[in-house]
Amino acid sequence: MSGLIRITLEKGVIATPENHKRTVKALGLGHRHQSRILKDTPAVRGMIQNVIYLLKVEPVTSLEEKEPVTAFHSNPEYVLGEVKAKTKKKKTAKVKK
């Protein structure tokens, strides 16, 4: 699948400028060694160029790797970019007798 890239945050953002911290967060990365698979668009490439010294960038050849379910987000509630439907239990009011 062309058009996809995997970015990994290799270095921490503690001693970086504030705009670089916000760029890393906008790319969906929060912790060291966290990875995301993103579409290779000019906007994403521009953000990557801004913080390239913190990242490792590699092309994605196949989504059939180790993480097919969470390929687009580190949150397990996301499945290939779409949010799973959450089921909530309805709370019933307890009546005192």
Side-chain angles (χ1 to χ4, degrees):
M1 301 187 92
S2 63
L4 296 176
I5 53 174
R6 177 187 304 271
I7 58 171
T8 305
L9 185 61
E10 290 293 315
K11 295 182 180 180
V13 294
I14 296 272
T16 58
E18 186 63 32
N19 62 335
H20 290 196
K21 291 177 187 177
R22 288 194 306 260
T23 302
V24 168
K25 188 161 182 80
L27 286 169
L29 302 171
H31 304 285
R32 287 180 53 205
H33 306 294
Q34 184 179 5
S35 294
R36 292 250 350 239
I37 296 176
L38 300 172
K39 291 182 182 178
D40 191 7
T41 63
V44 170
R45 282 289 177 174
M47 288 193 286
I48 289 171
Q49 282 304 116
N50 193 20
V51 292
I52 192 70
Y53 65 98
L54 299 171
L55 305 175
K56 178 173 77 171
V57 181
E58 51 196 0
V60 174
T61 57
S62 169
L63 288 180
E64 299 296 326
E65 294 176 6
K66 295 179 185 176
E67 48 183 335
V69 174
T70 60
F72 287 92
H73 202 278
S74 61
N75 187 348
E77 294 178 358
Y78 280 74
V79 178
L80 296 178
E82 297 178 7
V83 180
K84 286 186 196 176
K86 290 185 178 181
T87 58
K88 292 184 178 179
K89 293 182 180 178
K90 292 184 179 179
K91 293 184 179 180
T92 58
K94 293 184 180 179
V95 179
K96 292 184 180 179
K97 293 183 180 179

Coordinates of all heavy atoms in Angstrom, one line a residue:
M1 N 0.8 -1.2 0.0 CA 0.0 0.0 0.0 C 0.9 1.2 0.0 O 1.5 1.6 1.0 CB -0.9 0.0 1.2 CG -1.8 -1.2 1.4 SD -2.9 -0.9 2.7 CE -4.3 -0.2 1.8
S2 N 1.0 1.9 -1.1 CA 1.8 3.1 -1.1 C 0.9 4.3 -0.6 O -0.3 4.2 -0.5 CB 2.2 3.4 -2.6 OG 1.0 3.7 -3.3
G3 N 1.6 5.3 -0.1 CA 0.9 6.4 0.4 C 0.8 6.4 1.9 O 0.2 7.3 2.5
L4 N 1.4 5.4 2.6 CA 1.4 5.3 4.0 C 2.8 5.4 4.5 O 3.7 4.8 3.9 CB 0.7 4.1 4.5 CG -0.8 3.9 4.2 CD1 -1.3 2.6 4.6 CD2 -1.6 5.0 4.8
I5 N 3.0 6.0 5.7 CA 4.3 6.0 6.3 C 4.2 5.8 7.8 O 3.1 6.1 8.4 CB 5.1 7.4 6.1 CG1 4.2 8.6 6.5 CG2 5.5 7.6 4.7 CD1 4.9 9.9 6.5
R6 N 5.2 5.1 8.4 CA 5.2 4.9 9.8 C 6.2 5.8 10.4 O 7.3 5.9 10.0 CB 5.6 3.4 10.1 CG 5.7 3.2 11.6 CD 6.4 1.8 11.9 NE 5.6 0.7 11.2 CZ 4.6 0.1 11.8 NH1 4.2 0.4 12.9 NH2 4.0 -0.9 11.1
I7 N 5.7 6.6 11.4 CA 6.6 7.5 12.1 C 6.7 7.0 13.6 O 5.7 6.5 14.2 CB 6.1 9.0 12.1 CG1 4.7 9.1 12.7 CG2 6.1 9.5 10.7 CD1 4.2 10.5 12.8
T8 N 7.9 7.1 14.1 CA 8.1 6.6 15.5 C 8.9 7.7 16.2 O 9.8 8.3 15.7 CB 9.0 5.4 15.5 OG1 8.4 4.4 14.7 CG2 9.2 4.8 16.9
L9 N 8.4 8.1 17.4 CA 9.1 9.1 18.2 C 10.3 8.4 18.9 O 10.1 7.6 19.7 CB 8.1 9.7 19.3 CG 8.6 10.8 20.1 CD1 9.0 12.0 19.2 CD2 7.6 11.2 21.1
E10 N 11.5 8.8 18.5 CA 12.7 8.2 18.9 C 13.3 8.9 20.1 O 14.0 8.3 20.9 CB 13.8 8.1 17.8 CG 13.4 7.1 16.7 CD 13.4 5.7 17.2 OE1 14.4 5.3 17.9 OE2 12.5 5.0 16.9
K11 N 13.1 10.2 20.2 CA 13.7 11.0 21.3 C 12.6 11.7 22.0 O 11.5 12.0 21.5 CB 14.6 12.1 20.7 CG 15.9 11.5 20.1 CD 16.8 12.6 19.6 CE 18.0 12.0 19.0 NZ 18.9 13.0 18.5
G12 N 12.8 12.1 23.3 CA 11.8 12.8 24.1 C 11.7 14.2 23.7 O 12.6 14.8 23.0
V13 N 10.7 14.9 24.1 CA 10.4 16.3 23.7 C 10.6 17.2 24.9 O 10.2 18.4 24.8 CB 9.0 16.4 23.2 CG1 8.8 15.6 21.9 CG2 7.9 16.0 24.2
I14 N 11.2 16.8 26.0 CA 11.4 17.6 27.2 C 12.1 19.0 26.9 O 11.6 20.0 27.2 CB 12.2 16.9 28.3 CG1 11.4 15.7 28.7 CG2 12.5 17.8 29.4 CD1 10.4 15.9 29.8
A15 N 13.2 18.9 26.2 CA 14.0 20.1 26.0 C 13.9 20.7 24.6 O 14.8 21.3 24.1 CB 15.5 19.8 26.3
T16 N 12.7 20.5 24.0 CA 12.5 21.1 22.7 C 11.6 22.3 22.8 O 10.9 22.5 23.8 CB 11.8 20.0 21.8 OG1 10.6 19.6 22.4 CG2 12.7 18.8 21.6
P17 N 11.6 23.1 21.7 CA 10.7 24.3 21.7 C 9.2 23.9 21.8 O 8.8 22.8 21.4 CB 11.0 25.0 20.4 CG 12.3 24.5 20.0 CD 12.5 23.1 20.6
E18 N 8.4 24.8 22.3 CA 7.0 24.5 22.5 C 6.3 24.2 21.2 O 5.4 23.3 21.2 CB 6.3 25.7 23.2 CG 4.9 25.5 23.6 CD 4.7 24.4 24.6 OE1 5.6 24.2 25.5 OE2 3.7 23.7 24.6
N19 N 6.6 24.8 20.1 CA 5.9 24.5 18.9 C 6.3 23.1 18.4 O 5.5 22.5 17.7 CB 6.2 25.6 17.8 CG 7.7 25.7 17.4 OD1 8.5 25.4 18.2 ND2 7.9 26.2 16.3
H20 N 7.5 22.6 18.7 CA 7.9 21.3 18.3 C 7.1 20.3 19.1 O 6.7 19.2 18.6 CB 9.4 21.0 18.5 CG 10.2 21.8 17.4 ND1 11.5 21.5 17.2 CD2 9.8 22.8 16.6 CE1 11.9 22.3 16.3 NE2 11.0 23.1 15.9
K21 N 6.9 20.6 20.4 CA 6.0 19.7 21.3 C 4.6 19.6 20.7 O 4.0 18.5 20.7 CB 6.0 20.2 22.7 CG 7.3 20.1 23.4 CD 7.2 20.7 24.8 CE 8.6 20.7 25.5 NZ 8.5 21.4 26.8
R22 N 4.1 20.7 20.3 CA 2.7 20.7 19.7 C 2.7 20.0 18.4 O 1.7 19.3 18.1 CB 2.2 22.1 19.6 CG 1.9 22.8 20.9 CD 1.1 24.1 20.7 NE 1.7 25.0 19.8 CZ 2.5 26.1 20.2 NH1 2.6 26.3 21.4 NH2 3.0 26.9 19.2
T23 N 3.7 20.1 17.6 CA 3.7 19.3 16.3 C 3.8 17.8 16.6 O 3.1 17.1 15.9 CB 5.0 19.8 15.5 OG1 4.9 21.2 15.3 CG2 5.0 19.1 14.2
V24 N 4.6 17.4 17.5 CA 4.6 16.0 17.8 C 3.3 15.5 18.3 O 2.8 14.4 17.9 CB 5.8 15.7 18.9 CG1 5.7 14.3 19.4 CG2 7.1 15.9 18.3
K25 N 2.6 16.2 19.2 CA 1.3 15.9 19.7 C 0.3 15.8 18.5 O -0.6 15.0 18.5 CB 0.8 16.8 20.7 CG -0.4 16.4 21.4 CD -0.6 17.1 22.8 CE -1.8 16.7 23.5 NZ -1.7 15.4 24.1
A26 N 0.4 16.8 17.6 CA -0.5 16.8 16.4 C -0.3 15.6 15.5 O -1.2 15.2 14.8 CB -0.3 18.1 15.6
L27 N 0.9 15.1 15.5 CA 1.2 13.8 14.7 C 0.6 12.6 15.4 O 0.6 11.5 14.9 CB 2.7 13.7 14.5 CG 3.3 14.6 13.4 CD1 4.8 14.6 13.5 CD2 2.8 14.3 12.0
G28 N 0.2 12.8 16.7 CA -0.4 11.7 17.4 C 0.5 10.9 18.2 O 0.3 9.8 18.6
L29 N 1.7 11.5 18.5 CA 2.7 10.8 19.3 C 2.8 11.5 20.6 O 2.8 12.7 20.7 CB 4.1 10.9 18.6 CG 4.1 10.3 17.2 CD1 5.4 10.6 16.5 CD2 3.9 8.8 17.3
G30 N 2.9 10.7 21.7 CA 3.0 11.3 23.0 C 4.2 10.8 23.8 O 4.7 11.5 24.7
H31 N 4.6 9.5 23.6 CA 5.7 8.9 24.4 C 6.8 8.4 23.4 O 6.5 8.2 22.3 CB 5.1 7.7 25.2 CG 3.9 8.1 26.0 ND1 4.1 8.8 27.2 CD2 2.6 7.9 25.9 CE1 2.9 9.0 27.7 NE2 2.0 8.5 27.0
R32 N 8.0 8.2 24.0 CA 9.1 7.7 23.2 C 8.7 6.3 22.7 O 8.0 5.5 23.4 CB 10.3 7.7 24.0 CG 10.9 9.0 24.3 CD 12.2 9.0 25.1 NE 13.1 8.0 24.5 CZ 14.0 7.4 25.3 NH1 14.1 7.7 26.5 NH2 14.9 6.6 24.7
H33 N 9.2 6.0 21.5 CA 9.0 4.7 20.9 C 7.6 4.4 20.5 O 7.2 3.2 20.3 CB 9.6 3.5 21.8 CG 11.0 3.8 22.1 ND1 12.0 3.8 21.2 CD2 11.6 4.1 23.3 CE1 13.2 4.1 21.8 NE2 12.9 4.3 23.1
Q34 N 6.7 5.4 20.5 CA 5.3 5.2 20.1 C 5.3 5.4 18.6 O 6.0 6.3 18.0 CB 4.4 6.2 20.8 CG 3.0 6.1 20.4 CD 2.1 7.1 21.2 OE1 2.7 8.0 21.8 NE2 0.8 7.0 21.0
S35 N 4.5 4.6 17.9 CA 4.5 4.7 16.4 C 3.1 4.9 15.9 O 2.1 4.6 16.6 CB 4.9 3.3 15.8 OG 6.3 3.1 16.0
R36 N 3.0 5.6 14.8 CA 1.7 5.8 14.1 C 1.9 5.5 12.6 O 3.0 5.8 12.1 CB 1.2 7.2 14.3 CG 0.8 7.6 15.6 CD -0.6 7.8 16.0 NE -1.6 7.9 14.9 CZ -2.4 8.9 14.8 NH1 -2.2 10.0 15.5 NH2 -3.3 8.9 13.8
I37 N 0.9 5.1 11.9 CA 0.9 5.0 10.5 C 0.0 6.1 10.0 O -1.2 6.1 10.3 CB 0.4 3.6 10.0 CG1 1.4 2.5 10.5 CG2 0.3 3.5 8.5 CD1 1.0 1.1 10.2
L38 N 0.5 6.9 9.1 CA -0.2 8.1 8.6 C -0.2 8.1 7.1 O 0.7 7.5 6.5 CB 0.3 9.4 9.1 CG 0.4 9.5 10.7 CD1 1.2 10.8 11.0 CD2 -1.0 9.7 11.2
K39 N -1.2 8.8 6.5 CA -1.2 9.0 5.1 C 0.0 9.9 4.7 O 0.2 10.9 5.4 CB -2.5 9.5 4.6 CG -3.6 8.6 4.7 CD -4.9 9.2 4.1 CE -6.0 8.2 4.3 NZ -7.3 8.8 3.8
D40 N 0.6 9.7 3.6 CA 1.8 10.5 3.2 C 1.2 11.7 2.4 O 1.1 11.6 1.2 CB 2.7 9.6 2.3 CG 4.0 10.4 2.1 OD1 4.2 11.4 2.7 OD2 4.8 9.8 1.3
T41 N 0.9 12.7 3.1 CA 0.3 14.0 2.5 C 1.3 15.1 2.7 O 2.2 15.0 3.5 CB -1.0 14.3 3.1 OG1 -0.8 14.6 4.5 CG2 -2.0 13.2 3.0
P42 N 1.2 16.2 1.9 CA 2.1 17.3 2.1 C 2.0 17.9 3.5 O 3.1 18.4 4.0 CB 1.7 18.3 1.0 CG 1.0 17.4 0.0 CD 0.4 16.3 0.7
A43 N 0.9 17.9 4.1 CA 0.7 18.5 5.4 C 1.5 17.7 6.4 O 2.2 18.2 7.3 CB -0.8 18.6 5.8
V44 N 1.4 16.3 6.4 CA 2.1 15.5 7.3 C 3.6 15.5 7.0 O 4.3 15.6 8.0 CB 1.6 14.0 7.1 CG1 2.4 13.0 7.9 CG2 0.1 13.9 7.6
R45 N 4.0 15.6 5.8 CA 5.4 15.7 5.5 C 6.0 17.0 6.0 O 7.1 17.1 6.5 CB 5.7 15.7 4.0 CG 5.6 14.3 3.4 CD 6.8 13.5 3.8 NE 6.8 12.1 3.4 CZ 7.8 11.3 3.5 NH1 8.9 11.7 4.1 NH2 7.7 10.1 3.1
G46 N 5.2 18.1 6.0 CA 5.7 19.4 6.5 C 5.9 19.3 8.0 O 6.8 19.8 8.6
M47 N 4.9 18.6 8.7 CA 5.1 18.5 10.2 C 6.3 17.6 10.5 O 7.0 17.9 11.5 CB 3.8 17.9 10.8 CG 2.6 18.9 10.8 SD 1.3 18.3 11.8 CE 0.6 17.0 10.8
I48 N 6.5 16.6 9.7 CA 7.6 15.7 10.0 C 8.9 16.5 9.8 O 9.9 16.3 10.6 CB 7.5 14.5 9.0 CG1 6.4 13.5 9.5 CG2 8.9 13.7 9.0 CD1 6.1 12.4 8.5
Q49 N 9.0 17.3 8.7 CA 10.2 18.0 8.5 C 10.5 19.0 9.6 O 11.7 19.3 9.9 CB 10.1 18.8 7.2 CG 10.4 18.0 6.0 CD 11.7 17.3 6.0 OE1 11.7 16.1 6.0 NE2 12.8 18.0 6.0
N50 N 9.5 19.5 10.3 CA 9.7 20.4 11.4 C 10.4 19.7 12.6 O 11.1 20.3 13.3 CB 8.3 20.9 11.9 CG 8.4 22.1 12.8 OD1 9.5 22.8 12.9 ND2 7.4 22.4 13.5
V51 N 10.1 18.4 12.8 CA 10.6 17.7 14.0 C 11.4 16.4 13.6 O 11.4 15.4 14.3 CB 9.5 17.4 15.0 CG1 8.9 18.6 15.6 CG2 8.4 16.6 14.3
I52 N 12.0 16.4 12.4 CA 12.6 15.2 11.9 C 13.7 14.7 12.8 O 14.0 13.5 12.9 CB 13.2 15.5 10.5 CG1 13.6 14.1 9.8 CG2 14.3 16.4 10.5 CD1 12.5 13.2 9.5
Y53 N 14.3 15.6 13.6 CA 15.4 15.2 14.5 C 14.9 14.3 15.7 O 15.7 13.7 16.4 CB 16.2 16.4 15.0 CG 15.4 17.3 15.9 CD1 15.5 17.2 17.3 CD2 14.6 18.3 15.3 CE1 14.7 18.1 18.1 CE2 13.8 19.1 16.1 CZ 13.9 19.0 17.5 OH 13.2 19.9 18.3
L54 N 13.6 14.3 15.9 CA 13.0 13.5 17.0 C 12.4 12.2 16.5 O 12.1 11.3 17.3 CB 11.9 14.3 17.6 CG 12.2 15.6 18.3 CD1 11.0 16.3 18.7 CD2 13.1 15.4 19.5
L55 N 12.2 12.0 15.2 CA 11.5 10.9 14.6 C 12.3 9.9 13.8 O 13.4 10.3 13.3 CB 10.4 11.5 13.7 CG 9.4 12.5 14.2 CD1 8.5 13.0 13.1 CD2 8.6 11.9 15.4
K56 N 11.7 8.8 13.6 CA 12.2 7.8 12.6 C 11.1 7.6 11.6 O 9.9 7.3 12.1 CB 12.6 6.5 13.3 CG 13.1 5.4 12.3 CD 13.6 4.2 12.9 CE 12.4 3.4 13.4 NZ 12.8 2.0 13.9
V57 N 11.3 7.8 10.4 CA 10.3 7.7 9.3 C 10.6 6.6 8.4 O 11.7 6.5 7.9 CB 10.1 9.0 8.6 CG1 9.0 9.0 7.5 CG2 9.9 10.2 9.5
E58 N 9.6 5.7 8.1 CA 9.8 4.6 7.2 C 8.6 4.3 6.4 O 7.5 4.5 6.9 CB 10.3 3.4 7.9 CG 9.4 3.0 9.1 CD 10.1 2.0 10.0 OE1 11.2 1.6 9.8 OE2 9.4 1.6 11.0
P59 N 8.7 3.9 5.2 CA 7.5 3.6 4.4 C 6.8 2.4 4.8 O 7.5 1.5 5.4 CB 8.0 3.5 2.9 CG 9.4 3.1 3.1 CD 9.9 3.8 4.4
V60 N 5.5 2.3 4.7 CA 4.8 1.1 5.0 C 4.5 0.3 3.8 O 3.9 0.8 2.8 CB 3.5 1.5 5.7 CG1 2.6 0.2 6.0 CG2 3.7 2.2 7.0
T61 N 4.9 -1.0 3.8 CA 4.7 -1.8 2.6 C 3.4 -2.7 2.8 O 2.8 -3.0 1.8 CB 5.9 -2.7 2.3 OG1 6.1 -3.5 3.5 CG2 7.1 -1.9 2.0
S62 N 3.1 -3.0 4.0 CA 2.0 -3.9 4.2 C 1.4 -3.6 5.6 O 2.2 -3.4 6.6 CB 2.4 -5.3 4.1 OG 1.4 -6.2 4.6
L63 N 0.1 -3.6 5.8 CA -0.5 -3.5 7.1 C -0.6 -4.9 7.8 O -1.1 -4.9 8.9 CB -1.9 -2.9 7.0 CG -1.9 -1.4 6.6 CD1 -3.4 -0.9 6.5 CD2 -1.2 -0.6 7.6
E64 N -0.2 -5.9 7.2 CA -0.2 -7.2 7.8 C 1.0 -7.5 8.7 O 1.5 -8.6 8.7 CB -0.3 -8.3 6.6 CG -1.5 -8.2 5.7 CD -2.8 -8.4 6.5 OE1 -2.8 -9.2 7.4 OE2 -3.8 -7.8 6.1
E65 N 1.4 -6.5 9.4 CA 2.5 -6.6 10.3 C 2.0 -7.0 11.7 O 0.9 -7.6 11.8 CB 3.3 -5.4 10.4 CG 4.0 -5.1 9.0 CD 4.7 -3.8 9.0 OE1 4.8 -3.1 10.1 OE2 5.2 -3.4 8.0
K66 N 2.7 -6.7 12.7 CA 2.4 -7.1 14.1 C 1.1 -6.4 14.6 O 0.5 -7.0 15.5 CB 3.5 -6.7 15.0 CG 4.8 -7.5 14.8 CD 5.9 -7.1 15.7 CE 7.1 -7.8 15.4 NZ 8.2 -7.3 16.3
E67 N 0.7 -5.2 14.2 CA -0.4 -4.5 14.8 C -1.5 -4.2 13.8 O -1.7 -3.0 13.5 CB 0.2 -3.2 15.4 CG 1.1 -2.4 14.5 CD 1.7 -1.2 15.3 OE1 1.1 -0.7 16.2 OE2 2.8 -0.8 14.8
P68 N -2.2 -5.1 13.2 CA -3.2 -4.8 12.2 C -4.4 -4.1 12.8 O -5.0 -3.3 12.1 CB -3.6 -6.2 11.6 CG -3.3 -7.1 12.7 CD -2.1 -6.5 13.4
V69 N -4.8 -4.3 14.1 CA -5.9 -3.7 14.6 C -5.7 -2.2 15.0 O -6.5 -1.4 14.7 CB -6.4 -4.5 15.9 CG1 -7.6 -3.8 16.5 CG2 -6.8 -5.9 15.4
T70 N -4.6 -1.9 15.6 CA -4.3 -0.6 16.0 C -3.3 0.1 15.1 O -2.4 0.8 15.5 CB -3.7 -0.6 17.5 OG1 -2.5 -1.4 17.5 CG2 -4.7 -1.2 18.4
A71 N -3.4 -0.1 13.8 CA -2.5 0.4 12.8 C -2.5 1.9 12.7 O -1.5 2.5 12.4 CB -2.7 -0.3 11.5
F72 N -3.6 2.5 13.0 CA -3.7 4.0 12.8 C -3.7 4.8 14.0 O -3.7 6.0 14.0 CB -4.9 4.3 11.9 CG -4.8 3.9 10.5 CD1 -5.2 2.7 10.1 CD2 -4.2 4.8 9.6 CE1 -5.0 2.4 8.7 CE2 -4.0 4.5 8.3 CZ -4.5 3.2 7.9
H73 N -3.8 4.1 15.2 CA -3.8 4.8 16.4 C -3.3 3.9 17.5 O -3.6 2.7 17.5 CB -5.2 5.3 16.7 CG -5.3 6.5 17.6 ND1 -5.2 6.3 19.0 CD2 -5.4 7.8 17.4 CE1 -5.3 7.5 19.5 NE2 -5.4 8.4 18.6
S74 N -2.7 4.5 18.6 CA -2.2 3.7 19.7 C -3.4 3.3 20.6 O -3.2 2.4 21.4 CB -1.1 4.4 20.4 OG -1.7 5.6 20.9
N75 N -4.5 4.0 20.5 CA -5.6 3.7 21.4 C -6.3 2.5 20.9 O -6.8 2.4 19.8 CB -6.5 4.9 21.4 CG -7.7 4.8 22.4 OD1 -7.9 3.7 23.0 ND2 -8.4 5.9 22.6
P76 N -6.5 1.5 21.8 CA -7.2 0.2 21.3 C -8.7 0.4 20.9 O -9.3 -0.5 20.4 CB -7.0 -0.7 22.5 CG -6.7 0.1 23.6 CD -6.1 1.4 23.1
E77 N -9.3 1.6 21.2 CA -10.6 1.8 20.9 C -10.8 2.2 19.4 O -11.9 2.3 18.9 CB -11.2 2.9 21.7 CG -11.4 2.5 23.2 CD -11.9 3.6 24.1 OE1 -12.2 4.7 23.6 OE2 -12.1 3.3 25.3
Y78 N -9.7 2.4 18.7 CA -9.7 2.8 17.3 C -9.3 1.5 16.5 O -8.4 0.8 16.9 CB -8.6 3.8 17.0 CG -9.0 5.2 17.3 CD1 -9.1 5.7 18.6 CD2 -9.3 6.1 16.3 CE1 -9.4 6.9 18.9 CE2 -9.7 7.4 16.6 CZ -9.8 7.8 17.9 OH -10.1 9.1 18.2
V79 N -10.1 1.3 15.5 CA -9.8 0.1 14.6 C -9.7 0.7 13.2 O -10.6 1.1 12.6 CB -10.9 -0.9 14.7 CG1 -10.6 -2.0 13.7 CG2 -11.1 -1.4 16.1
L80 N -8.4 0.7 12.7 CA -8.1 1.2 11.4 C -8.7 2.6 11.1 O -9.4 2.9 10.2 CB -8.6 0.2 10.3 CG -7.9 -1.1 10.3 CD1 -8.4 -2.0 9.3 CD2 -6.4 -0.9 10.2
G81 N -8.5 3.5 12.1 CA -9.0 4.9 12.0 C -10.4 5.2 12.4 O -10.8 6.3 12.4
E82 N -11.2 4.1 12.7 CA -12.6 4.4 13.1 C -12.8 4.0 14.5 O -12.2 3.0 15.0 CB -13.5 3.5 12.2 CG -13.4 3.9 10.7 CD -14.3 3.0 9.9 OE1 -15.1 2.2 10.4 OE2 -14.2 3.2 8.7
V83 N -13.6 4.7 15.2 CA -13.8 4.5 16.6 C -14.8 3.3 16.8 O -15.8 3.3 16.1 CB -14.3 5.7 17.3 CG1 -14.6 5.5 18.8 CG2 -13.4 6.9 17.2
K84 N -14.5 2.4 17.7 CA -15.4 1.3 18.0 C -16.6 1.9 18.8 O -16.5 2.9 19.5 CB -14.8 0.3 18.9 CG -13.8 -0.6 18.3 CD -13.4 -1.7 19.3 CE -12.2 -2.4 18.9 NZ -11.8 -3.3 20.0
A85 N -17.7 1.3 18.6 CA -18.9 1.8 19.3 C -18.8 1.3 20.8 O -18.5 0.1 21.0 CB -20.2 1.3 18.7
K86 N -19.0 2.2 21.7 CA -18.9 1.8 23.1 C -20.4 1.5 23.6 O -21.3 2.2 23.2 CB -18.4 3.0 23.9 CG -16.9 3.3 23.7 CD -16.5 4.3 24.7 CE -15.0 4.6 24.6 NZ -14.6 5.6 25.5
T87 N -20.5 0.5 24.3 CA -21.7 0.2 24.9 C -21.7 0.6 26.4 O -20.8 0.2 27.1 CB -22.1 -1.3 24.8 OG1 -21.0 -2.1 25.4 CG2 -22.2 -1.7 23.3
K88 N -22.6 1.4 26.8 CA -22.7 1.8 28.2 C -23.9 1.2 28.8 O -25.0 1.1 28.2 CB -22.8 3.3 28.3 CG -21.6 4.0 27.8 CD -21.7 5.5 28.0 CE -20.4 6.2 27.6 NZ -20.5 7.7 27.8
K89 N -23.7 0.8 30.1 CA -24.9 0.3 30.8 C -25.7 1.5 31.4 O -25.1 2.5 31.9 CB -24.4 -0.5 32.0 CG -23.7 -1.8 31.6 CD -23.3 -2.6 32.8 CE -22.6 -3.9 32.4 NZ -22.2 -4.7 33.5
K90 N -27.0 1.4 31.3 CA -27.8 2.5 31.8 C -27.9 2.3 33.3 O -28.1 1.2 33.8 CB -29.2 2.4 31.1 CG -29.2 2.8 29.7 CD -30.6 2.8 29.1 CE -30.5 3.2 27.7 NZ -31.9 3.2 27.1
K91 N -27.8 3.4 34.0 CA -28.0 3.3 35.4 C -29.4 3.5 35.7 O -30.1 4.4 35.2 CB -27.2 4.5 36.1 CG -25.7 4.3 35.9 CD -25.0 5.4 36.7 CE -23.5 5.2 36.5 NZ -22.7 6.3 37.2
T92 N -29.9 2.6 36.6 CA -31.3 2.7 37.0 C -31.3 3.3 38.4 O -30.4 3.0 39.3 CB -31.9 1.3 37.0 OG1 -31.1 0.4 37.9 CG2 -31.9 0.7 35.7
A93 N -32.3 4.1 38.7 CA -32.4 4.7 40.0 C -32.9 3.7 41.0 O -33.8 2.9 40.7 CB -33.4 5.9 39.9
K94 N -32.3 3.7 42.1 CA -32.7 2.8 43.2 C -33.8 3.4 44.0 O -33.6 4.6 44.4 CB -31.5 2.4 44.1 CG -30.4 1.6 43.3 CD -29.4 1.2 44.3 CE -28.3 0.3 43.6 NZ -27.2 -0.1 44.5
V95 N -34.8 2.7 44.2 CA -35.9 3.3 45.0 C -35.9 2.7 46.4 O -35.8 1.5 46.6 CB -37.3 2.9 44.3 CG1 -38.4 3.4 45.1 CG2 -37.3 3.4 42.9
K96 N -35.9 3.7 47.3 CA -35.9 3.2 48.8 C -37.3 2.9 49.2 O -38.3 3.5 48.8 CB -35.4 4.4 49.6 CG -33.9 4.7 49.4 CD -33.5 5.7 50.4 CE -32.0 6.0 50.2 NZ -31.5 7.0 51.2
K97 N -37.4 1.8 49.9 CA -38.8 1.3 50.3 C -39.0 1.7 51.8 O -38.2 1.8 52.6 CB -38.9 -0.2 50.2 CG -38.9 -0.6 48.7 CD -39.1 -2.0 48.6 CE -39.1 -2.4 47.1 NZ -39.2 -3.8 46.9

